[in-house]
mmCIF file of all heavy atoms in Angstrom:
data_model
loop_
_atom_site.group_PDB
_atom_site.id
_atom_site.type_symbol
_atom_site.label_atom_id
_atom_site.label_comp_id
_atom_site.label_asym_id
_atom_site.label_seq_id
_atom_site.Cartn_x
_atom_site.Cartn_y
_atom_site.Cartn_z
ATOM 1 N N VAL B 335 142.841 182.922 249.546
ATOM 2 C CA VAL B 335 141.980 182.131 250.435
ATOM 3 C C VAL B 335 142.835 181.366 251.444
ATOM 4 O O VAL B 335 142.510 181.306 252.635
ATOM 5 C CB VAL B 335 141.114 181.154 249.609
ATOM 6 C CG1 VAL B 335 140.393 180.169 250.509
ATOM 7 C CG2 VAL B 335 140.128 181.914 248.734
ATOM 8 N N LEU B 336 143.926 180.804 250.972
ATOM 9 C CA LEU B 336 144.842 180.065 251.852
ATOM 10 C C LEU B 336 145.357 180.968 252.965
ATOM 11 O O LEU B 336 145.386 180.583 254.141
ATOM 12 C CB LEU B 336 146.000 179.532 251.015
ATOM 13 C CG LEU B 336 146.979 178.555 251.657
ATOM 14 C CD1 LEU B 336 146.285 177.251 252.013
ATOM 15 C CD2 LEU B 336 148.141 178.283 250.702
ATOM 16 N N ALA B 337 145.736 182.176 252.588
ATOM 17 C CA ALA B 337 146.289 183.119 253.563
ATOM 18 C C ALA B 337 145.265 183.493 254.624
ATOM 19 O O ALA B 337 145.600 183.710 255.787
ATOM 20 C CB ALA B 337 146.788 184.369 252.846
ATOM 21 N N ARG B 338 144.006 183.561 254.212
ATOM 22 C CA ARG B 338 142.937 183.922 255.151
ATOM 23 C C ARG B 338 142.566 182.763 256.053
ATOM 24 O O ARG B 338 142.250 182.953 257.219
ATOM 25 C CB ARG B 338 141.669 184.338 254.389
ATOM 26 C CG ARG B 338 141.653 185.771 253.936
ATOM 27 C CD ARG B 338 140.218 186.208 253.627
ATOM 28 N NE ARG B 338 139.606 185.427 252.551
ATOM 29 C CZ ARG B 338 139.737 185.700 251.257
ATOM 30 N NH1 ARG B 338 140.471 186.736 250.861
ATOM 31 N NH2 ARG B 338 139.155 184.942 250.340
ATOM 32 N N SER B 339 142.578 181.544 255.497
ATOM 33 C CA SER B 339 141.991 180.391 256.196
ATOM 34 C C SER B 339 142.989 179.530 256.952
ATOM 35 O O SER B 339 142.614 178.913 257.942
ATOM 36 C CB SER B 339 141.272 179.475 255.201
ATOM 37 O OG SER B 339 140.511 180.210 254.295
ATOM 38 N N CYS B 340 144.221 179.447 256.479
ATOM 39 C CA CYS B 340 145.128 178.429 257.015
ATOM 40 C C CYS B 340 146.294 179.076 257.740
ATOM 41 O O CYS B 340 147.414 179.141 257.227
ATOM 42 C CB CYS B 340 145.631 177.526 255.883
ATOM 43 S SG CYS B 340 144.284 176.778 254.935
ATOM 44 N N LYS B 341 146.015 179.525 258.958
ATOM 45 C CA LYS B 341 147.013 180.277 259.697
ATOM 46 C C LYS B 341 148.128 179.396 260.218
ATOM 47 O O LYS B 341 149.167 179.888 260.640
ATOM 48 C CB LYS B 341 146.339 181.002 260.875
ATOM 49 C CG LYS B 341 145.325 182.060 260.428
ATOM 50 C CD LYS B 341 145.972 183.108 259.556
ATOM 51 C CE LYS B 341 145.007 184.201 259.143
ATOM 52 N NZ LYS B 341 145.633 185.107 258.165
ATOM 53 N N ARG B 342 147.921 178.062 260.188
ATOM 54 C CA ARG B 342 148.940 177.168 260.729
ATOM 55 C C ARG B 342 149.841 176.609 259.639
ATOM 56 O O ARG B 342 150.638 175.710 259.905
ATOM 57 C CB ARG B 342 148.270 175.993 261.449
ATOM 58 C CG ARG B 342 147.351 176.412 262.534
ATOM 59 C CD ARG B 342 147.440 175.487 263.729
ATOM 60 N NE ARG B 342 146.493 175.938 264.730
ATOM 61 C CZ ARG B 342 145.547 175.188 265.249
ATOM 62 N NH1 ARG B 342 145.456 173.925 264.877
ATOM 63 N NH2 ARG B 342 144.723 175.679 266.140
ATOM 64 N N LEU B 343 149.704 177.112 258.430
ATOM 65 C CA LEU B 343 150.429 176.521 257.308
ATOM 66 C C LEU B 343 151.937 176.583 257.511
ATOM 67 O O LEU B 343 152.495 177.648 257.769
ATOM 68 C CB LEU B 343 150.050 177.235 256.005
ATOM 69 C CG LEU B 343 150.406 176.470 254.726
ATOM 70 C CD1 LEU B 343 149.520 175.239 254.586
ATOM 71 C CD2 LEU B 343 150.266 177.362 253.517
ATOM 72 N N LYS B 344 152.591 175.414 257.374
ATOM 73 C CA LYS B 344 154.037 175.357 257.546
ATOM 74 C C LYS B 344 154.769 175.094 256.230
ATOM 75 O O LYS B 344 155.874 175.567 256.016
ATOM 76 C CB LYS B 344 154.401 174.235 258.518
ATOM 77 C CG LYS B 344 153.973 174.451 259.936
ATOM 78 C CD LYS B 344 154.787 173.584 260.870
ATOM 79 C CE LYS B 344 154.625 173.968 262.313
ATOM 80 N NZ LYS B 344 153.241 173.880 262.802
ATOM 81 N N ARG B 345 154.135 174.277 255.371
ATOM 82 C CA ARG B 345 154.810 173.902 254.140
ATOM 83 C C ARG B 345 153.878 174.085 252.958
ATOM 84 O O ARG B 345 152.752 173.591 252.979
ATOM 85 C CB ARG B 345 155.275 172.442 254.203
ATOM 86 C CG ARG B 345 156.284 172.160 255.295
ATOM 87 C CD ARG B 345 156.609 170.676 255.369
ATOM 88 N NE ARG B 345 157.275 170.230 254.150
ATOM 89 C CZ ARG B 345 158.595 170.225 253.973
ATOM 90 N NH1 ARG B 345 159.390 170.640 254.928
ATOM 91 N NH2 ARG B 345 159.126 169.790 252.841
ATOM 92 N N LEU B 346 154.359 174.774 251.934
ATOM 93 C CA LEU B 346 153.561 174.982 250.732
ATOM 94 C C LEU B 346 154.422 174.717 249.510
ATOM 95 O O LEU B 346 155.493 175.301 249.342
ATOM 96 C CB LEU B 346 153.025 176.414 250.671
ATOM 97 C CG LEU B 346 152.251 176.777 249.395
ATOM 98 C CD1 LEU B 346 151.012 175.899 249.231
ATOM 99 C CD2 LEU B 346 151.845 178.246 249.403
ATOM 100 N N ARG B 347 153.919 173.810 248.668
ATOM 101 C CA ARG B 347 154.636 173.521 247.430
ATOM 102 C C ARG B 347 153.667 173.725 246.271
ATOM 103 O O ARG B 347 152.612 173.102 246.225
ATOM 104 C CB ARG B 347 155.150 172.082 247.474
ATOM 105 C CG ARG B 347 155.884 171.667 246.213
ATOM 106 C CD ARG B 347 156.528 170.313 246.400
ATOM 107 N NE ARG B 347 156.587 169.620 245.135
ATOM 108 C CZ ARG B 347 156.441 168.312 244.979
ATOM 109 N NH1 ARG B 347 156.230 167.551 246.013
ATOM 110 N NH2 ARG B 347 156.516 167.772 243.781
ATOM 111 N N ILE B 348 154.011 174.603 245.348
ATOM 112 C CA ILE B 348 153.178 174.870 244.174
ATOM 113 C C ILE B 348 153.958 174.490 242.930
ATOM 114 O O ILE B 348 154.917 175.164 242.555
ATOM 115 C CB ILE B 348 152.752 176.347 244.110
ATOM 116 C CG1 ILE B 348 151.979 176.708 245.384
ATOM 117 C CG2 ILE B 348 151.904 176.597 242.880
ATOM 118 C CD1 ILE B 348 151.520 178.130 245.438
ATOM 119 N N GLU B 349 153.524 173.425 242.298
ATOM 120 C CA GLU B 349 154.236 172.896 241.140
ATOM 121 C C GLU B 349 153.688 173.500 239.847
ATOM 122 O O GLU B 349 152.652 174.150 239.829
ATOM 123 C CB GLU B 349 154.081 171.373 241.091
ATOM 124 C CG GLU B 349 155.057 170.654 241.988
ATOM 125 C CD GLU B 349 156.454 170.573 241.378
ATOM 126 O OE1 GLU B 349 156.653 171.047 240.245
ATOM 127 O OE2 GLU B 349 157.353 170.049 242.046
ATOM 128 N N ARG B 350 154.383 173.191 238.783
ATOM 129 C CA ARG B 350 154.025 173.753 237.486
ATOM 130 C C ARG B 350 152.997 172.865 236.813
ATOM 131 O O ARG B 350 153.222 171.673 236.622
ATOM 132 C CB ARG B 350 155.306 173.825 236.683
ATOM 133 C CG ARG B 350 155.193 174.188 235.239
ATOM 134 C CD ARG B 350 156.565 174.033 234.627
ATOM 135 N NE ARG B 350 156.581 174.136 233.197
ATOM 136 C CZ ARG B 350 157.527 173.615 232.433
ATOM 137 N NH1 ARG B 350 158.522 172.960 232.975
ATOM 138 N NH2 ARG B 350 157.491 173.765 231.140
ATOM 139 N N GLY B 351 151.878 173.427 236.420
ATOM 140 C CA GLY B 351 150.854 172.661 235.730
ATOM 141 C C GLY B 351 151.163 172.538 234.251
ATOM 142 O O GLY B 351 152.284 172.781 233.808
ATOM 143 N N ALA B 352 150.130 172.182 233.467
ATOM 144 C CA ALA B 352 150.343 172.007 232.034
ATOM 145 C C ALA B 352 150.612 173.350 231.368
ATOM 146 O O ALA B 352 150.133 174.378 231.822
ATOM 147 C CB ALA B 352 149.116 171.352 231.411
ATOM 148 N N ASP B 353 151.356 173.326 230.297
ATOM 149 C CA ASP B 353 151.651 174.565 229.582
ATOM 150 C C ASP B 353 150.513 174.984 228.670
ATOM 151 O O ASP B 353 150.279 176.165 228.459
ATOM 152 C CB ASP B 353 152.927 174.395 228.737
ATOM 153 C CG ASP B 353 154.147 174.284 229.627
ATOM 154 O OD1 ASP B 353 154.122 174.846 230.737
ATOM 155 O OD2 ASP B 353 155.115 173.626 229.215
ATOM 156 N N GLU B 354 149.814 173.997 228.127
ATOM 157 C CA GLU B 354 148.737 174.347 227.190
ATOM 158 C C GLU B 354 147.597 174.995 227.963
ATOM 159 O O GLU B 354 147.155 174.484 228.976
ATOM 160 C CB GLU B 354 148.177 173.097 226.477
ATOM 161 C CG GLU B 354 149.221 172.239 225.826
ATOM 162 C CD GLU B 354 149.605 171.047 226.691
ATOM 163 O OE1 GLU B 354 149.652 171.193 227.933
ATOM 164 O OE2 GLU B 354 149.847 169.984 226.123
ATOM 165 N N GLN B 355 147.156 176.120 227.484
ATOM 166 C CA GLN B 355 146.148 176.897 228.192
ATOM 167 C C GLN B 355 144.859 176.117 228.411
ATOM 168 O O GLN B 355 144.197 176.269 229.418
ATOM 169 C CB GLN B 355 145.880 178.190 227.393
ATOM 170 C CG GLN B 355 145.517 179.402 228.232
ATOM 171 C CD GLN B 355 146.264 179.514 229.539
ATOM 172 O OE1 GLN B 355 147.491 179.426 229.594
ATOM 173 N NE2 GLN B 355 145.543 179.699 230.625
ATOM 174 N N GLU B 356 144.484 175.264 227.467
ATOM 175 C CA GLU B 356 143.200 174.548 227.565
ATOM 176 C C GLU B 356 143.194 173.538 228.686
ATOM 177 O O GLU B 356 142.153 173.134 229.168
ATOM 178 C CB GLU B 356 142.870 173.781 226.270
ATOM 179 C CG GLU B 356 143.226 174.462 224.992
ATOM 180 C CD GLU B 356 144.700 174.307 224.666
ATOM 181 O OE1 GLU B 356 145.170 173.173 224.477
ATOM 182 O OE2 GLU B 356 145.372 175.347 224.606
ATOM 183 N N MET B 357 144.387 173.101 229.096
ATOM 184 C CA MET B 357 144.432 172.016 230.063
ATOM 185 C C MET B 357 144.258 172.510 231.504
ATOM 186 O O MET B 357 143.942 171.747 232.382
ATOM 187 C CB MET B 357 145.759 171.252 229.949
ATOM 188 C CG MET B 357 145.927 170.491 228.665
ATOM 189 S SD MET B 357 144.658 169.247 228.442
ATOM 190 C CE MET B 357 145.087 168.089 229.700
ATOM 191 N N GLU B 358 144.549 173.766 231.752
ATOM 192 C CA GLU B 358 144.417 174.285 233.114
ATOM 193 C C GLU B 358 143.517 175.510 233.107
ATOM 194 O O GLU B 358 143.279 176.120 232.090
ATOM 195 C CB GLU B 358 145.796 174.661 233.664
ATOM 196 C CG GLU B 358 146.805 173.520 233.720
ATOM 197 C CD GLU B 358 146.685 172.640 234.955
ATOM 198 O OE1 GLU B 358 145.606 172.607 235.566
ATOM 199 O OE2 GLU B 358 147.672 171.982 235.289
ATOM 200 N N ASP B 359 143.040 175.857 234.288
ATOM 201 C CA ASP B 359 142.206 177.032 234.488
ATOM 202 C C ASP B 359 142.964 178.291 234.065
ATOM 203 O O ASP B 359 144.135 178.447 234.389
ATOM 204 C CB ASP B 359 141.892 177.118 235.980
ATOM 205 C CG ASP B 359 140.784 178.085 236.291
ATOM 206 O OD1 ASP B 359 140.669 179.111 235.581
ATOM 207 O OD2 ASP B 359 140.047 177.821 237.236
ATOM 208 N N GLU B 360 142.303 179.200 233.373
ATOM 209 C CA GLU B 360 143.018 180.401 232.950
ATOM 210 C C GLU B 360 143.370 181.298 234.136
ATOM 211 O O GLU B 360 144.257 182.134 234.054
ATOM 212 C CB GLU B 360 142.201 181.192 231.930
ATOM 213 C CG GLU B 360 140.849 181.631 232.447
ATOM 214 C CD GLU B 360 140.061 182.357 231.369
ATOM 215 O OE1 GLU B 360 140.326 182.124 230.187
ATOM 216 O OE2 GLU B 360 139.185 183.157 231.732
ATOM 217 N N GLU B 361 142.666 181.065 235.255
ATOM 218 C CA GLU B 361 143.020 181.807 236.469
ATOM 219 C C GLU B 361 144.229 181.191 237.146
ATOM 220 O O GLU B 361 144.745 181.712 238.117
ATOM 221 C CB GLU B 361 141.862 181.690 237.472
ATOM 222 C CG GLU B 361 140.950 182.871 237.561
ATOM 223 C CD GLU B 361 140.081 182.777 238.807
ATOM 224 O OE1 GLU B 361 139.150 181.940 238.798
ATOM 225 O OE2 GLU B 361 140.356 183.498 239.775
ATOM 226 N N GLY B 362 144.662 180.045 236.619
ATOM 227 C CA GLY B 362 145.658 179.241 237.320
ATOM 228 C C GLY B 362 147.083 179.721 237.148
ATOM 229 O O GLY B 362 147.930 178.978 236.651
ATOM 230 N N VAL B 363 147.351 180.953 237.530
ATOM 231 C CA VAL B 363 148.730 181.438 237.527
ATOM 232 C C VAL B 363 149.008 182.074 238.879
ATOM 233 O O VAL B 363 148.119 182.668 239.494
ATOM 234 C CB VAL B 363 148.998 182.474 236.404
ATOM 235 C CG1 VAL B 363 149.010 181.816 235.057
ATOM 236 C CG2 VAL B 363 148.000 183.602 236.460
ATOM 237 N N VAL B 364 150.234 181.928 239.320
ATOM 238 C CA VAL B 364 150.641 182.494 240.598
ATOM 239 C C VAL B 364 151.614 183.634 240.322
ATOM 240 O O VAL B 364 152.512 183.502 239.486
ATOM 241 C CB VAL B 364 151.302 181.409 241.468
ATOM 242 C CG1 VAL B 364 151.913 182.016 242.722
ATOM 243 C CG2 VAL B 364 150.284 180.346 241.850
ATOM 244 N N SER B 365 151.406 184.729 241.037
ATOM 245 C CA SER B 365 152.258 185.895 240.809
ATOM 246 C C SER B 365 152.537 186.589 242.132
ATOM 247 O O SER B 365 152.194 186.076 243.198
ATOM 248 C CB SER B 365 151.550 186.874 239.877
ATOM 249 O OG SER B 365 150.534 187.541 240.598
#
Side-chain angles (χ1 to χ4, degrees):
Chain B
V335 170
L336 189 65
R338 277 199 299 274
S339 316
C340 305
K341 296 301 182 187
R342 303 219 181 124
L343 197 69
K344 292 201 167 60
R345 298 175 65 91
L346 176 61
R347 179 172 150 215
I348 301 180
E349 278 282 358
R350 172 187 170 203
D353 291 331
E354 308 99 324
Q355 212 38 50
E356 321 80 62
M357 293 299 291
E358 301 277 23
D359 194 326
E360 59 183 24
E361 259 194 286
V363 289
V364 172
S365 75

